[in-house]
Amino acid sequence: GANASTDDGGASSGDGLITVGFAQTGSESGWRSANTESMREAFSEENGFDLVFNAADNDPAAQISAVRSFINQEVDAIVIAPIVEDGWDDVLQEAQEAGIPVVLEDRTVSSSDDLYEAWVGLDFRHEGVMAGEWAAETFGDTPTNMVVLEGTTGSAPANDRAAGFAEAIEGTAITVLDSQTGNFTRADGKTVMEGFLQKHGSDIDLLYAHNDDMALGAIDAIEAAGLVPGEDIQIVSIDAVRDGMQALVDGKINYIVTCFPLIGDLVAEVVADVVAGNPVEKVQFFEDRPYTQEEAAEVIDEWQY
Ligand code: GZL
Ligand code: ZN
């Protein structure tokens, strides 16, 4: 029944549940599917939530509209996995004026952190550094031609994975032949890699893919061109979704840095604390780590995502 203390002016479901509007990026990759599943499980009714879910199909304008609709529905809290870093000031200010707290999960925004309560995510820069450290150790001062499949243009992971990697390979003989976004999708990763191969062919020694889905698409293109992925063209990637880890075990990818997607429980805990008026940490990261082919073979059977 209705809880007398529940403010029935808003969309709060009136039976004590916390109504949460969740603006997800879309369904662009295996990582995203795992993240969405984790969030849906954490924000369940038995955990005390009424989840209003929106996936914005990787369209930043649609995602901002979804957040505006959550404000109009007067939800108790809003969670956002922001597709891109920029353009969030206005709608975050509107949420703040409406008294609706915002929590970021996964990616983050360039807006002032006064405009959101907390960011529960990953250290994308560190992921890029770990990937770049492997490339530097593997290729060192051997002249090496690299191509890059970048994540979604303007997204925090794309920006920071690029920056971290670049820092790690400073002073090496690795040069960037080409770099282009594959929008974190397998299909675009394949198409862009086909273009790289047409332009540079066997001059390419190394591929840095900002996520496994693009690396898997690139593997299709490399094999179609009669080259051997993991040998003719070495590949370093980030995410460590199951399909990526399998390619690592199969020797088609050489090194993968994890990006942990199963963060729903911590996000739900932060949202519950924020709604209860408890203090929360502004930023909480999950620790990531790299995997070699040998290490992946040891864990693939019980891999979580
Ligand atoms: C990173 C996440 C990225 C993944 C991609 O935390 O935002 O978006 O690396 C996903 O696979 O599409
Ligand atoms: Zn480190």
Side-chain angles (χ1 to χ4, degrees), residues 28 149 182 184-197 207 209 211-225 229 235 237 241 243-244 247 252-253:
E28 72 279 0
L149 288 171
F184 283 131
T185 68
R186 184 165 183 156
D188 289 2
K190 180 178 181 191
T191 305
V192 173
M193 190 68 200
E194 283 166 351
F196 289 163
L197 287 162
L207 164 64
N211 84 329
D212 294 348
D213 285 60
M214 294 190 292
L216 292 163
I219 286 168
D220 293 341
I222 292 167
E223 291 179 329
I235 301 175
S237 181
V241 293
D243 289 349
K252 297 186 177 184
I253 294 180

PDB file of all heavy atoms in Angstrom, residues 28 149 182 184-197 207 209 211-225 229 235 237 241 243-244 247 252-253:
ATOM      1  N   GLU A  28      25.327  -1.223 -28.542  1.00  0.00           N
ATOM      2  CA  GLU A  28      26.355  -1.221 -29.584  1.00  0.00           C
ATOM      3  C   GLU A  28      27.351  -2.357 -29.494  1.00  0.00           C
ATOM      4  O   GLU A  28      28.057  -2.636 -30.483  1.00  0.00           O
ATOM      5  CB  GLU A  28      27.077   0.146 -29.578  1.00  0.00           C
ATOM      6  CG  GLU A  28      28.000   0.376 -28.401  1.00  0.00           C
ATOM      7  CD  GLU A  28      27.267   0.832 -27.112  1.00  0.00           C
ATOM      8  OE1 GLU A  28      26.028   0.970 -27.127  1.00  0.00           O
ATOM      9  OE2 GLU A  28      27.973   1.023 -26.113  1.00  0.00           O
ATOM     10  N   LEU A 149      41.458   1.587 -34.328  1.00  0.00           N
ATOM     11  CA  LEU A 149      39.990   1.646 -34.420  1.00  0.00           C
ATOM     12  C   LEU A 149      39.516   2.350 -33.149  1.00  0.00           C
ATOM     13  O   LEU A 149      39.588   1.785 -32.045  1.00  0.00           O
ATOM     14  CB  LEU A 149      39.397   0.241 -34.527  1.00  0.00           C
ATOM     15  CG  LEU A 149      39.622  -0.449 -35.881  1.00  0.00           C
ATOM     16  CD1 LEU A 149      39.187  -1.916 -35.803  1.00  0.00           C
ATOM     17  CD2 LEU A 149      38.875   0.273 -37.004  1.00  0.00           C
ATOM     18  N   GLY A 182      35.296   3.390 -35.198  1.00  0.00           N
ATOM     19  CA  GLY A 182      34.470   2.243 -35.604  1.00  0.00           C
ATOM     20  C   GLY A 182      33.242   2.158 -34.700  1.00  0.00           C
ATOM     21  O   GLY A 182      32.572   1.127 -34.640  1.00  0.00           O
ATOM     22  N   PHE A 184      32.593   1.598 -31.766  1.00  0.00           N
ATOM     23  CA  PHE A 184      32.531   0.482 -30.819  1.00  0.00           C
ATOM     24  C   PHE A 184      31.740  -0.714 -31.369  1.00  0.00           C
ATOM     25  O   PHE A 184      31.407  -1.637 -30.605  1.00  0.00           O
ATOM     26  CB  PHE A 184      31.902   0.918 -29.475  1.00  0.00           C
ATOM     27  CG  PHE A 184      32.826   1.704 -28.580  1.00  0.00           C
ATOM     28  CD1 PHE A 184      32.401   2.889 -28.003  1.00  0.00           C
ATOM     29  CD2 PHE A 184      34.105   1.240 -28.297  1.00  0.00           C
ATOM     30  CE1 PHE A 184      33.252   3.620 -27.156  1.00  0.00           C
ATOM     31  CE2 PHE A 184      34.961   1.955 -27.452  1.00  0.00           C
ATOM     32  CZ  PHE A 184      34.530   3.144 -26.884  1.00  0.00           C
ATOM     33  N   THR A 185      31.427  -0.715 -32.681  1.00  0.00           N
ATOM     34  CA  THR A 185      30.619  -1.841 -33.192  1.00  0.00           C
ATOM     35  C   THR A 185      31.464  -2.775 -34.052  1.00  0.00           C
ATOM     36  O   THR A 185      32.442  -2.372 -34.695  1.00  0.00           O
ATOM     37  CB  THR A 185      29.441  -1.347 -34.070  1.00  0.00           C
ATOM     38  OG1 THR A 185      29.962  -0.781 -35.280  1.00  0.00           O
ATOM     39  CG2 THR A 185      28.606  -0.337 -33.320  1.00  0.00           C
ATOM     40  N   ARG A 186      31.062  -4.058 -34.084  1.00  0.00           N
ATOM     41  CA  ARG A 186      31.766  -5.072 -34.864  1.00  0.00           C
ATOM     42  C   ARG A 186      31.685  -4.727 -36.354  1.00  0.00           C
ATOM     43  O   ARG A 186      32.683  -4.802 -37.081  1.00  0.00           O
ATOM     44  CB  ARG A 186      31.150  -6.447 -34.572  1.00  0.00           C
ATOM     45  CG  ARG A 186      31.871  -7.586 -35.268  1.00  0.00           C
ATOM     46  CD  ARG A 186      31.479  -8.925 -34.676  1.00  0.00           C
ATOM     47  NE  ARG A 186      32.243 -10.011 -35.311  1.00  0.00           N
ATOM     48  CZ  ARG A 186      32.459 -11.183 -34.730  1.00  0.00           C
ATOM     49  NH1 ARG A 186      31.999 -11.424 -33.510  1.00  0.00           N
ATOM     50  NH2 ARG A 186      33.159 -12.122 -35.362  1.00  0.00           N
ATOM     51  N   ALA A 187      30.467  -4.329 -36.806  1.00  0.00           N
ATOM     52  CA  ALA A 187      30.254  -4.061 -38.233  1.00  0.00           C
ATOM     53  C   ALA A 187      31.167  -2.927 -38.703  1.00  0.00           C
ATOM     54  O   ALA A 187      31.852  -3.041 -39.727  1.00  0.00           O
ATOM     55  CB  ALA A 187      28.790  -3.715 -38.489  1.00  0.00           C
ATOM     56  N   ASP A 188      31.183  -1.826 -37.936  1.00  0.00           N
ATOM     57  CA  ASP A 188      32.000  -0.681 -38.365  1.00  0.00           C
ATOM     58  C   ASP A 188      33.494  -0.994 -38.226  1.00  0.00           C
ATOM     59  O   ASP A 188      34.309  -0.519 -39.013  1.00  0.00           O
ATOM     60  CB  ASP A 188      31.639   0.565 -37.562  1.00  0.00           C
ATOM     61  CG  ASP A 188      30.263   1.114 -37.931  1.00  0.00           C
ATOM     62  OD1 ASP A 188      29.605   0.485 -38.783  1.00  0.00           O
ATOM     63  OD2 ASP A 188      29.852   2.142 -37.369  1.00  0.00           O
ATOM     64  N   GLY A 189      33.837  -1.801 -37.218  1.00  0.00           N
ATOM     65  CA  GLY A 189      35.241  -2.187 -37.083  1.00  0.00           C
ATOM     66  C   GLY A 189      35.723  -2.925 -38.315  1.00  0.00           C
ATOM     67  O   GLY A 189      36.817  -2.682 -38.831  1.00  0.00           O
ATOM     68  N   LYS A 190      34.856  -3.802 -38.844  1.00  0.00           N
ATOM     69  CA  LYS A 190      35.217  -4.565 -40.056  1.00  0.00           C
ATOM     70  C   LYS A 190      35.364  -3.623 -41.257  1.00  0.00           C
ATOM     71  O   LYS A 190      36.361  -3.672 -41.986  1.00  0.00           O
ATOM     72  CB  LYS A 190      34.139  -5.609 -40.335  1.00  0.00           C
ATOM     73  CG  LYS A 190      34.415  -6.447 -41.561  1.00  0.00           C
ATOM     74  CD  LYS A 190      33.350  -7.516 -41.785  1.00  0.00           C
ATOM     75  CE  LYS A 190      33.706  -8.335 -43.033  1.00  0.00           C
ATOM     76  NZ  LYS A 190      32.608  -9.207 -43.470  1.00  0.00           N
ATOM     77  N   THR A 191      34.376  -2.749 -41.427  1.00  0.00           N
ATOM     78  CA  THR A 191      34.385  -1.832 -42.587  1.00  0.00           C
ATOM     79  C   THR A 191      35.611  -0.926 -42.565  1.00  0.00           C
ATOM     80  O   THR A 191      36.302  -0.767 -43.581  1.00  0.00           O
ATOM     81  CB  THR A 191      33.110  -0.966 -42.578  1.00  0.00           C
ATOM     82  OG1 THR A 191      31.975  -1.814 -42.546  1.00  0.00           O
ATOM     83  CG2 THR A 191      33.054  -0.058 -43.783  1.00  0.00           C
ATOM     84  N   VAL A 192      35.896  -0.344 -41.397  1.00  0.00           N
ATOM     85  CA  VAL A 192      37.029   0.581 -41.322  1.00  0.00           C
ATOM     86  C   VAL A 192      38.344  -0.173 -41.547  1.00  0.00           C
ATOM     87  O   VAL A 192      39.242   0.307 -42.250  1.00  0.00           O
ATOM     88  CB  VAL A 192      37.034   1.335 -39.971  1.00  0.00           C
ATOM     89  CG1 VAL A 192      38.298   2.169 -39.811  1.00  0.00           C
ATOM     90  CG2 VAL A 192      35.793   2.213 -39.857  1.00  0.00           C
ATOM     91  N   MET A 193      38.432  -1.394 -41.008  1.00  0.00           N
ATOM     92  CA  MET A 193      39.669  -2.186 -41.198  1.00  0.00           C
ATOM     93  C   MET A 193      39.841  -2.548 -42.665  1.00  0.00           C
ATOM     94  O   MET A 193      40.965  -2.540 -43.193  1.00  0.00           O
ATOM     95  CB  MET A 193      39.634  -3.456 -40.324  1.00  0.00           C
ATOM     96  CG  MET A 193      40.958  -4.196 -40.268  1.00  0.00           C
ATOM     97  SD  MET A 193      42.208  -3.207 -39.375  1.00  0.00           S
ATOM     98  CE  MET A 193      43.716  -3.984 -39.974  1.00  0.00           C
ATOM     99  N   GLU A 194      38.745  -2.832 -43.354  1.00  0.00           N
ATOM    100  CA  GLU A 194      38.825  -3.098 -44.802  1.00  0.00           C
ATOM    101  C   GLU A 194      39.452  -1.906 -45.515  1.00  0.00           C
ATOM    102  O   GLU A 194      40.325  -2.053 -46.363  1.00  0.00           O
ATOM    103  CB  GLU A 194      37.428  -3.371 -45.369  1.00  0.00           C
ATOM    104  CG  GLU A 194      36.898  -4.769 -45.050  1.00  0.00           C
ATOM    105  CD  GLU A 194      35.392  -4.908 -45.307  1.00  0.00           C
ATOM    106  OE1 GLU A 194      34.740  -3.875 -45.562  1.00  0.00           O
ATOM    107  OE2 GLU A 194      34.874  -6.040 -45.215  1.00  0.00           O
ATOM    108  N   GLY A 195      39.039  -0.697 -45.097  1.00  0.00           N
ATOM    109  CA  GLY A 195      39.612   0.512 -45.702  1.00  0.00           C
ATOM    110  C   GLY A 195      41.094   0.632 -45.408  1.00  0.00           C
ATOM    111  O   GLY A 195      41.905   0.944 -46.294  1.00  0.00           O
ATOM    112  N   PHE A 196      41.467   0.368 -44.130  1.00  0.00           N
ATOM    113  CA  PHE A 196      42.893   0.422 -43.765  1.00  0.00           C
ATOM    114  C   PHE A 196      43.691  -0.557 -44.623  1.00  0.00           C
ATOM    115  O   PHE A 196      44.783  -0.241 -45.114  1.00  0.00           O
ATOM    116  CB  PHE A 196      43.086   0.061 -42.291  1.00  0.00           C
ATOM    117  CG  PHE A 196      42.599   1.084 -41.296  1.00  0.00           C
ATOM    118  CD1 PHE A 196      42.405   0.706 -39.969  1.00  0.00           C
ATOM    119  CD2 PHE A 196      42.341   2.401 -41.655  1.00  0.00           C
ATOM    120  CE1 PHE A 196      41.970   1.626 -39.011  1.00  0.00           C
ATOM    121  CE2 PHE A 196      41.910   3.327 -40.715  1.00  0.00           C
ATOM    122  CZ  PHE A 196      41.723   2.936 -39.397  1.00  0.00           C
ATOM    123  N   LEU A 197      43.147  -1.764 -44.830  1.00  0.00           N
ATOM    124  CA  LEU A 197      43.875  -2.802 -45.571  1.00  0.00           C
ATOM    125  C   LEU A 197      44.010  -2.426 -47.043  1.00  0.00           C
ATOM    126  O   LEU A 197      45.056  -2.636 -47.663  1.00  0.00           O
ATOM    127  CB  LEU A 197      43.172  -4.154 -45.419  1.00  0.00           C
ATOM    128  CG  LEU A 197      43.328  -4.796 -44.034  1.00  0.00           C
ATOM    129  CD1 LEU A 197      42.284  -5.884 -43.809  1.00  0.00           C
ATOM    130  CD2 LEU A 197      44.736  -5.373 -43.863  1.00  0.00           C
ATOM    131  N   LEU A 207      47.362  -3.441 -34.751  1.00  0.00           N
ATOM    132  CA  LEU A 207      46.046  -2.800 -34.613  1.00  0.00           C
ATOM    133  C   LEU A 207      45.771  -2.576 -33.132  1.00  0.00           C
ATOM    134  O   LEU A 207      45.871  -3.513 -32.338  1.00  0.00           O
ATOM    135  CB  LEU A 207      44.936  -3.684 -35.197  1.00  0.00           C
ATOM    136  CG  LEU A 207      43.494  -3.319 -34.793  1.00  0.00           C
ATOM    137  CD1 LEU A 207      43.096  -1.930 -35.328  1.00  0.00           C
ATOM    138  CD2 LEU A 207      42.509  -4.375 -35.287  1.00  0.00           C
ATOM    139  N   ALA A 209      42.639  -1.624 -31.022  1.00  0.00           N
ATOM    140  CA  ALA A 209      41.185  -1.445 -31.093  1.00  0.00           C
ATOM    141  C   ALA A 209      40.677  -1.003 -29.723  1.00  0.00           C
ATOM    142  O   ALA A 209      41.013  -1.630 -28.710  1.00  0.00           O
ATOM    143  CB  ALA A 209      40.511  -2.754 -31.499  1.00  0.00           C
ATOM    144  N   ASN A 211      37.858  -1.349 -28.491  1.00  0.00           N
ATOM    145  CA  ASN A 211      37.068  -2.415 -27.841  1.00  0.00           C
ATOM    146  C   ASN A 211      37.102  -3.701 -28.652  1.00  0.00           C
ATOM    147  O   ASN A 211      37.445  -3.703 -29.842  1.00  0.00           O
ATOM    148  CB  ASN A 211      35.634  -1.965 -27.548  1.00  0.00           C
ATOM    149  CG  ASN A 211      34.695  -2.111 -28.751  1.00  0.00           C
ATOM    150  OD1 ASN A 211      35.112  -1.985 -29.899  1.00  0.00           O
ATOM    151  ND2 ASN A 211      33.426  -2.377 -28.470  1.00  0.00           N
ATOM    152  N   ASP A 212      36.738  -4.809 -27.997  1.00  0.00           N
ATOM    153  CA  ASP A 212      36.825  -6.133 -28.628  1.00  0.00           C
ATOM    154  C   ASP A 212      35.900  -6.252 -29.831  1.00  0.00           C
ATOM    155  O   ASP A 212      36.252  -6.905 -30.829  1.00  0.00           O
ATOM    156  CB  ASP A 212      36.417  -7.229 -27.616  1.00  0.00           C
ATOM    157  CG  ASP A 212      37.381  -7.360 -26.459  1.00  0.00           C
ATOM    158  OD1 ASP A 212      38.484  -6.788 -26.527  1.00  0.00           O
ATOM    159  OD2 ASP A 212      37.015  -8.039 -25.486  1.00  0.00           O
ATOM    160  N   ASP A 213      34.706  -5.667 -29.758  1.00  0.00           N
ATOM    161  CA  ASP A 213      33.772  -5.821 -30.879  1.00  0.00           C
ATOM    162  C   ASP A 213      34.400  -5.298 -32.179  1.00  0.00           C
ATOM    163  O   ASP A 213      34.322  -5.946 -33.223  1.00  0.00           O
ATOM    164  CB  ASP A 213      32.456  -5.101 -30.577  1.00  0.00           C
ATOM    165  CG  ASP A 213      31.611  -5.873 -29.566  1.00  0.00           C
ATOM    166  OD1 ASP A 213      32.085  -6.084 -28.435  1.00  0.00           O
ATOM    167  OD2 ASP A 213      30.485  -6.286 -29.922  1.00  0.00           O
ATOM    168  N   MET A 214      35.070  -4.154 -32.103  1.00  0.00           N
ATOM    169  CA  MET A 214      35.727  -3.634 -33.319  1.00  0.00           C
ATOM    170  C   MET A 214      36.900  -4.525 -33.716  1.00  0.00           C
ATOM    171  O   MET A 214      37.132  -4.772 -34.910  1.00  0.00           O
ATOM    172  CB  MET A 214      36.201  -2.204 -33.091  1.00  0.00           C
ATOM    173  CG  MET A 214      35.065  -1.210 -32.887  1.00  0.00           C
ATOM    174  SD  MET A 214      35.637   0.517 -32.906  1.00  0.00           S
ATOM    175  CE  MET A 214      36.599   0.544 -31.372  1.00  0.00           C
ATOM    176  N   ALA A 215      37.618  -5.076 -32.727  1.00  0.00           N
ATOM    177  CA  ALA A 215      38.736  -5.974 -33.032  1.00  0.00           C
ATOM    178  C   ALA A 215      38.228  -7.232 -33.740  1.00  0.00           C
ATOM    179  O   ALA A 215      38.843  -7.700 -34.711  1.00  0.00           O
ATOM    180  CB  ALA A 215      39.471  -6.362 -31.748  1.00  0.00           C
ATOM    181  N   LEU A 216      37.077  -7.746 -33.307  1.00  0.00           N
ATOM    182  CA  LEU A 216      36.515  -8.953 -33.919  1.00  0.00           C
ATOM    183  C   LEU A 216      36.076  -8.673 -35.354  1.00  0.00           C
ATOM    184  O   LEU A 216      36.284  -9.492 -36.255  1.00  0.00           O
ATOM    185  CB  LEU A 216      35.346  -9.472 -33.070  1.00  0.00           C
ATOM    186  CG  LEU A 216      35.778 -10.016 -31.696  1.00  0.00           C
ATOM    187  CD1 LEU A 216      34.575 -10.130 -30.755  1.00  0.00           C
ATOM    188  CD2 LEU A 216      36.490 -11.352 -31.839  1.00  0.00           C
ATOM    189  N   GLY A 217      35.533  -7.481 -35.579  1.00  0.00           N
ATOM    190  CA  GLY A 217      35.189  -7.109 -36.962  1.00  0.00           C
ATOM    191  C   GLY A 217      36.440  -6.991 -37.812  1.00  0.00           C
ATOM    192  O   GLY A 217      36.478  -7.436 -38.967  1.00  0.00           O
ATOM    193  N   ALA A 218      37.485  -6.430 -37.223  1.00  0.00           N
ATOM    194  CA  ALA A 218      38.754  -6.267 -37.953  1.00  0.00           C
ATOM    195  C   ALA A 218      39.366  -7.626 -38.300  1.00  0.00           C
ATOM    196  O   ALA A 218      39.917  -7.801 -39.390  1.00  0.00           O
ATOM    197  CB  ALA A 218      39.737  -5.449 -37.108  1.00  0.00           C
ATOM    198  N   ILE A 219      39.224  -8.594 -37.397  1.00  0.00           N
ATOM    199  CA  ILE A 219      39.738  -9.945 -37.654  1.00  0.00           C
ATOM    200  C   ILE A 219      39.072 -10.530 -38.896  1.00  0.00           C
ATOM    201  O   ILE A 219      39.746 -11.115 -39.766  1.00  0.00           O
ATOM    202  CB  ILE A 219      39.532 -10.847 -36.415  1.00  0.00           C
ATOM    203  CG1 ILE A 219      40.543 -10.474 -35.324  1.00  0.00           C
ATOM    204  CG2 ILE A 219      39.659 -12.330 -36.776  1.00  0.00           C
ATOM    205  CD1 ILE A 219      40.260 -11.099 -33.967  1.00  0.00           C
ATOM    206  N   ASP A 220      37.779 -10.314 -39.039  1.00  0.00           N
ATOM    207  CA  ASP A 220      37.072 -10.805 -40.237  1.00  0.00           C
ATOM    208  C   ASP A 220      37.709 -10.181 -41.494  1.00  0.00           C
ATOM    209  O   ASP A 220      37.964 -10.865 -42.481  1.00  0.00           O
ATOM    210  CB  ASP A 220      35.587 -10.419 -40.176  1.00  0.00           C
ATOM    211  CG  ASP A 220      34.841 -11.140 -39.049  1.00  0.00           C
ATOM    212  OD1 ASP A 220      35.357 -12.169 -38.565  1.00  0.00           O
ATOM    213  OD2 ASP A 220      33.774 -10.656 -38.653  1.00  0.00           O
ATOM    214  N   ALA A 221      37.979  -8.873 -41.428  1.00  0.00           N
ATOM    215  CA  ALA A 221      38.545  -8.180 -42.596  1.00  0.00           C
ATOM    216  C   ALA A 221      39.968  -8.668 -42.873  1.00  0.00           C
ATOM    217  O   ALA A 221      40.351  -8.882 -44.032  1.00  0.00           O
ATOM    218  CB  ALA A 221      38.544  -6.677 -42.343  1.00  0.00           C
ATOM    219  N   ILE A 222      40.763  -8.860 -41.815  1.00  0.00           N
ATOM    220  CA  ILE A 222      42.153  -9.307 -41.973  1.00  0.00           C
ATOM    221  C   ILE A 222      42.203 -10.686 -42.620  1.00  0.00           C
ATOM    222  O   ILE A 222      42.967 -10.924 -43.565  1.00  0.00           O
ATOM    223  CB  ILE A 222      42.869  -9.306 -40.598  1.00  0.00           C
ATOM    224  CG1 ILE A 222      43.041  -7.876 -40.081  1.00  0.00           C
ATOM    225  CG2 ILE A 222      44.223 -10.020 -40.678  1.00  0.00           C
ATOM    226  CD1 ILE A 222      43.450  -7.789 -38.609  1.00  0.00           C
ATOM    227  N   GLU A 223      41.342 -11.577 -42.145  1.00  0.00           N
ATOM    228  CA  GLU A 223      41.308 -12.946 -42.712  1.00  0.00           C
ATOM    229  C   GLU A 223      40.801 -12.918 -44.150  1.00  0.00           C
ATOM    230  O   GLU A 223      41.326 -13.611 -45.020  1.00  0.00           O
ATOM    231  CB  GLU A 223      40.447 -13.847 -41.826  1.00  0.00           C
ATOM    232  CG  GLU A 223      41.120 -14.117 -40.467  1.00  0.00           C
ATOM    233  CD  GLU A 223      40.296 -14.986 -39.531  1.00  0.00           C
ATOM    234  OE1 GLU A 223      39.045 -14.926 -39.599  1.00  0.00           O
ATOM    235  OE2 GLU A 223      40.911 -15.705 -38.718  1.00  0.00           O
ATOM    236  N   ALA A 224      39.826 -12.056 -44.427  1.00  0.00           N
ATOM    237  CA  ALA A 224      39.300 -11.964 -45.809  1.00  0.00           C
ATOM    238  C   ALA A 224      40.383 -11.470 -46.763  1.00  0.00           C
ATOM    239  O   ALA A 224      40.372 -11.782 -47.957  1.00  0.00           O
ATOM    240  CB  ALA A 224      38.096 -11.027 -45.842  1.00  0.00           C
ATOM    241  N   ALA A 225      41.342 -10.717 -46.199  1.00  0.00           N
ATOM    242  CA  ALA A 225      42.440 -10.190 -47.036  1.00  0.00           C
ATOM    243  C   ALA A 225      43.583 -11.203 -47.137  1.00  0.00           C
ATOM    244  O   ALA A 225      44.650 -10.898 -47.689  1.00  0.00           O
ATOM    245  CB  ALA A 225      42.954  -8.880 -46.434  1.00  0.00           C
ATOM    246  N   PRO A 229      45.528 -12.755 -38.479  1.00  0.00           N
ATOM    247  CA  PRO A 229      45.422 -11.891 -37.305  1.00  0.00           C
ATOM    248  C   PRO A 229      46.185 -12.508 -36.124  1.00  0.00           C
ATOM    249  O   PRO A 229      46.159 -13.719 -35.946  1.00  0.00           O
ATOM    250  CB  PRO A 229      43.915 -11.840 -37.024  1.00  0.00           C
ATOM    251  CG  PRO A 229      43.366 -13.081 -37.647  1.00  0.00           C
ATOM    252  CD  PRO A 229      44.240 -13.409 -38.806  1.00  0.00           C
ATOM    253  N   ILE A 235      47.273  -7.625 -32.578  1.00  0.00           N
ATOM    254  CA  ILE A 235      46.093  -6.878 -32.144  1.00  0.00           C
ATOM    255  C   ILE A 235      46.072  -6.742 -30.627  1.00  0.00           C
ATOM    256  O   ILE A 235      46.250  -7.728 -29.904  1.00  0.00           O
ATOM    257  CB  ILE A 235      44.791  -7.562 -32.606  1.00  0.00           C
ATOM    258  CG1 ILE A 235      44.764  -7.675 -34.148  1.00  0.00           C
ATOM    259  CG2 ILE A 235      43.566  -6.806 -32.095  1.00  0.00           C
ATOM    260  CD1 ILE A 235      43.569  -8.438 -34.703  1.00  0.00           C
ATOM    261  N   SER A 237      43.513  -5.018 -27.625  1.00  0.00           N
ATOM    262  CA  SER A 237      42.136  -4.539 -27.496  1.00  0.00           C
ATOM    263  C   SER A 237      41.774  -4.342 -26.029  1.00  0.00           C
ATOM    264  O   SER A 237      42.545  -4.669 -25.120  1.00  0.00           O
ATOM    265  CB  SER A 237      41.201  -5.579 -28.136  1.00  0.00           C
ATOM    266  OG  SER A 237      39.867  -5.150 -28.055  1.00  0.00           O
ATOM    267  N   VAL A 241      35.402  -8.993 -23.309  1.00  0.00           N
ATOM    268  CA  VAL A 241      34.147  -9.758 -23.379  1.00  0.00           C
ATOM    269  C   VAL A 241      34.496 -11.173 -23.831  1.00  0.00           C
ATOM    270  O   VAL A 241      35.552 -11.403 -24.431  1.00  0.00           O
ATOM    271  CB  VAL A 241      33.128  -9.112 -24.343  1.00  0.00           C
ATOM    272  CG1 VAL A 241      32.656  -7.765 -23.798  1.00  0.00           C
ATOM    273  CG2 VAL A 241      33.717  -8.955 -25.746  1.00  0.00           C
ATOM    274  N   ASP A 243      33.754 -13.185 -26.269  1.00  0.00           N
ATOM    275  CA  ASP A 243      34.193 -13.428 -27.652  1.00  0.00           C
ATOM    276  C   ASP A 243      35.618 -12.905 -27.878  1.00  0.00           C
ATOM    277  O   ASP A 243      36.379 -13.498 -28.646  1.00  0.00           O
ATOM    278  CB  ASP A 243      33.236 -12.757 -28.645  1.00  0.00           C
ATOM    279  CG  ASP A 243      31.891 -13.447 -28.696  1.00  0.00           C
ATOM    280  OD1 ASP A 243      31.765 -14.556 -28.132  1.00  0.00           O
ATOM    281  OD2 ASP A 243      30.953 -12.874 -29.288  1.00  0.00           O
ATOM    282  N   GLY A 244      35.942 -11.802 -27.213  1.00  0.00           N
ATOM    283  CA  GLY A 244      37.299 -11.274 -27.329  1.00  0.00           C
ATOM    284  C   GLY A 244      38.289 -12.196 -26.651  1.00  0.00           C
ATOM    285  O   GLY A 244      39.358 -12.495 -27.201  1.00  0.00           O
ATOM    286  N   ALA A 247      38.995 -15.138 -28.823  1.00  0.00           N
ATOM    287  CA  ALA A 247      39.930 -14.805 -29.907  1.00  0.00           C
ATOM    288  C   ALA A 247      41.354 -14.717 -29.371  1.00  0.00           C
ATOM    289  O   ALA A 247      42.320 -15.091 -30.040  1.00  0.00           O
ATOM    290  CB  ALA A 247      39.523 -13.483 -30.561  1.00  0.00           C
ATOM    291  N   LYS A 252      44.244 -15.018 -32.164  1.00  0.00           N
ATOM    292  CA  LYS A 252      43.907 -13.998 -33.169  1.00  0.00           C
ATOM    293  C   LYS A 252      44.040 -12.583 -32.604  1.00  0.00           C
ATOM    294  O   LYS A 252      44.103 -11.614 -33.352  1.00  0.00           O
ATOM    295  CB  LYS A 252      42.490 -14.234 -33.695  1.00  0.00           C
ATOM    296  CG  LYS A 252      42.348 -15.570 -34.413  1.00  0.00           C
ATOM    297  CD  LYS A 252      40.980 -15.721 -35.038  1.00  0.00           C
ATOM    298  CE  LYS A 252      40.896 -17.047 -35.804  1.00  0.00           C
ATOM    299  NZ  LYS A 252      39.584 -17.183 -36.514  1.00  0.00           N
ATOM    300  N   ILE A 253      43.993 -12.481 -31.276  1.00  0.00           N
ATOM    301  CA  ILE A 253      44.282 -11.230 -30.564  1.00  0.00           C
ATOM    302  C   ILE A 253      45.472 -11.544 -29.659  1.00  0.00           C
ATOM    303  O   ILE A 253      45.608 -12.676 -29.173  1.00  0.00           O
ATOM    304  CB  ILE A 253      43.056 -10.750 -29.749  1.00  0.00           C
ATOM    305  CG1 ILE A 253      41.906 -10.363 -30.685  1.00  0.00           C
ATOM    306  CG2 ILE A 253      43.427  -9.586 -28.840  1.00  0.00           C
ATOM    307  CD1 ILE A 253      40.649  -9.866 -29.954  1.00  0.00           C
TER     308      ILE A 253
END
